[in-house]
Amino acid sequence: MEDKTKEHLEQLSEIRDMMKESTQFLSLSGMSGVFAGILALVGAALVWTDFFEMVSPGYFDDISARNGLLNWKMVIKVGYLLVVGCGVLAASLLVGFILTAQKAKKHGRKLFDSAAKKLLLNLFIPLFMGGLFCVALVLNGYVGAVAPATLLFYGMALYNAGKYTYRDIRYLGVCEMVLGVIAMLFMGRGLYFWAFGFGVLHIVYGLTMYIKYDRS
Amino acid sequence: MKGFDKLNKAFDSRVRLGVMSILVVNDWVKYGDLKERLSLTDGNLASHIASLEKLSYLEVRKEFVGKRPQTSYKISKTGKRAFEQHLNGLEELLKGKQ
């Protein structure tokens, strides 16, 4: 009878593993979060002076968006911010991809399995829409709302994608959303919130995940 | 023994149990994905799927992607009920032990 019990327990754990592995992408690397956080802090440092110059009162007053003329000062400054932001994003994605691919290989899992596809789709749909929304904000001159909006949409994307990977990522999503809302109450201080949300929170999350799932 | 009568002979095989576990949490899974997930060869999986199909535990969909035929599977209502009952049986058996 002892054998039977063991067999039943094994069956149950096998069922549970199959259910979990076929719906969740478990190769997401914790360290990639840490790197993304560090890169975000570097990015924030690069734009620190320009950012606070920009949000100082009257900085863009010489040319208003109302007369329809291109505000070159604004275009260049915002452009620089965008380039740094995109650079941070691209570098983070690249590092994340490499580390995740390594983890998948180590565990003998396929990188682009059905769970990975669902994860990416559910992450990028809200994220992409958020990106478009931010472009619209900039075009209308609401530059100050960009940082809160990116945090809010990123949080929503993470929360949504949480169905398809470690559930813990939802906590990060919630934190980013809350931070986004708070940031909206302190417009013009966006960079602090941005550095905290994309930098500090990523590092904390990444380390937690590394300790919980990757180390061993 | 309580719960023993609920165990389903069809799920004695690890492969069939694996197929059902995957399908119970996923809609329409491709044959190739099942094969890969369970690390099986073609012939092996096909025979197990055929027997689950015979019990009407699965719904089958065949379609063409380009020129290649592709078969996908979904758990049927009967299959879901059978699988849940099997799980309940396992649970009761293990509870009886404690």
Side-chain angles (χ1 to χ4, degrees):
Chain A
M1 226 43 213
E2 273 305 301
D3 275 3
K4 276 280 170 212
T5 310
K6 213 179 139 205
E7 199 187 300
H8 294 148
L9 275 173
E10 268 168 19
Q11 265 204 22
L12 274 179
S13 81
E14 223 162 276
I15 292 169
R16 203 176 51 195
D17 286 351
M18 267 303 150
M19 284 176 160
K20 198 170 164 187
E21 281 191 24
S22 69
T23 46
Q24 290 181 270
F25 183 69
L26 301 174
S27 300
L28 207 62
S29 142
M31 264 338 235
S32 62
V34 176
F35 277 104
I38 293 169
L39 285 165
L41 290 179
V42 171
L46 284 175
V47 298
W48 202 263
T49 1
D50 297 87
F51 182 86
F52 285 105
E53 213 175 80
M54 271 172 68
V55 295
S56 59
Y59 184 70
F60 288 126
D61 276 2
D62 43 354
I63 310 157
S64 74
R66 246 172 297 127
N67 59 19
L69 285 171
L70 263 186
N71 184 339
W72 282 109
K73 202 165 159 187
M74 191 166 172
V75 169
I76 290 166
K77 286 283 178 188
V78 172
Y80 174 63
L81 247 65
L82 276 178
V83 167
V84 173
C86 291
V88 167
L89 181 68
S92 305
L93 285 176
L94 185 70
V95 174
F97 178 79
I98 292 169
L99 289 176
T100 298
Q102 271 177 359
K103 187 175 165 188
K105 204 176 162 191
K106 194 176 129 195
H107 292 275
R109 298 198 197 108
K110 203 182 157 205
L111 186 58
F112 284 110
D113 57 7
S114 53
K117 281 172 205 156
K118 279 185 204 149
L119 170 69
L120 288 175
L121 194 71
N122 281 277
L123 180 73
F124 280 106
I125 288 177
L127 211 55
F128 180 72
M129 286 302 148
L132 290 184
F133 185 76
C134 290
V135 171
L137 284 178
V138 172
L139 290 177
N140 277 292
Y142 298 118
V143 181
V146 169
T150 50
L151 287 165
L152 186 64
F153 277 101
Y154 182 56
M156 292 197 284
L158 287 181
Y159 192 84
N160 197 40
K163 287 192 284 285
Y164 303 104
T165 181
Y166 297 107
R167 297 287 193 267
D168 313 55
I169 209 164
R170 292 186 157 187
Y171 298 119
L172 178 64
V174 170
C175 292
E176 302 284 3
M177 284 189 271
V178 170
L179 202 63
V181 173
I182 299 173
M184 199 63 202
L185 298 171
F186 296 90
M187 270 232 276
R189 295 264 176 279
L191 195 58
Y192 290 124
F193 290 97
W194 206 83
F196 186 76
F198 290 100
V200 180
L201 284 185
H202 270 153
I203 294 173
V204 172
Y205 163 80
L207 279 177
T208 312
M209 297 303 282
Y210 177 74
I211 291 165
K212 201 165 164 188
Y213 298 108
D214 296 353
R215 204 178 48 174
S216 64
Chain B
M1 187 96 226
K2 202 176 163 241
F4 200 74
D5 50 325
K6 286 190 181 167
L7 291 190
N8 193 329
K9 277 268 179 287
F11 304 138
D12 273 352
S13 130
R14 288 189 56 215
V15 176
R16 291 195 286 269
L17 194 70
V19 170
M20 294 303 275
S21 311
I22 292 172
L23 291 180
V24 82
V25 285
N26 289 282
D27 252 1
W28 293 117
V29 181
K30 284 178 243 155
Y31 182 82
D33 287 344
L34 280 177
K35 198 175 79 176
E36 192 167 22
R37 184 68 67 188
L38 296 162
S39 332
L40 290 170
T41 58
D42 253 328
N44 201 352
L45 179 59
S47 66
H48 286 295
I49 282 187
S51 71
L52 288 173
E53 236 184 289
K54 211 181 265 172
L55 292 163
S56 342
Y57 286 175
L58 306 181
E59 282 174 42
V60 188
R61 188 175 67 187
K62 288 187 167 107
E63 57 196 344
F64 278 87
V65 177
K67 280 184 179 171
R68 296 178 57 206
Q70 193 175 70
T71 315
S72 305
Y73 300 92
K74 195 181 140 172
I75 198 164
S76 70
K77 273 204 183 112
T78 323
K80 200 163 190 172
R81 218 176 297 132
F83 188 69
E84 274 163 9
Q85 201 176 33
H86 184 73
L87 281 182
N88 289 339
L90 283 176
E91 203 177 56
E92 279 172 28
L93 275 175
L94 290 168
K95 264 189 195 151
K97 289 279 158 201
Q98 284 163 358

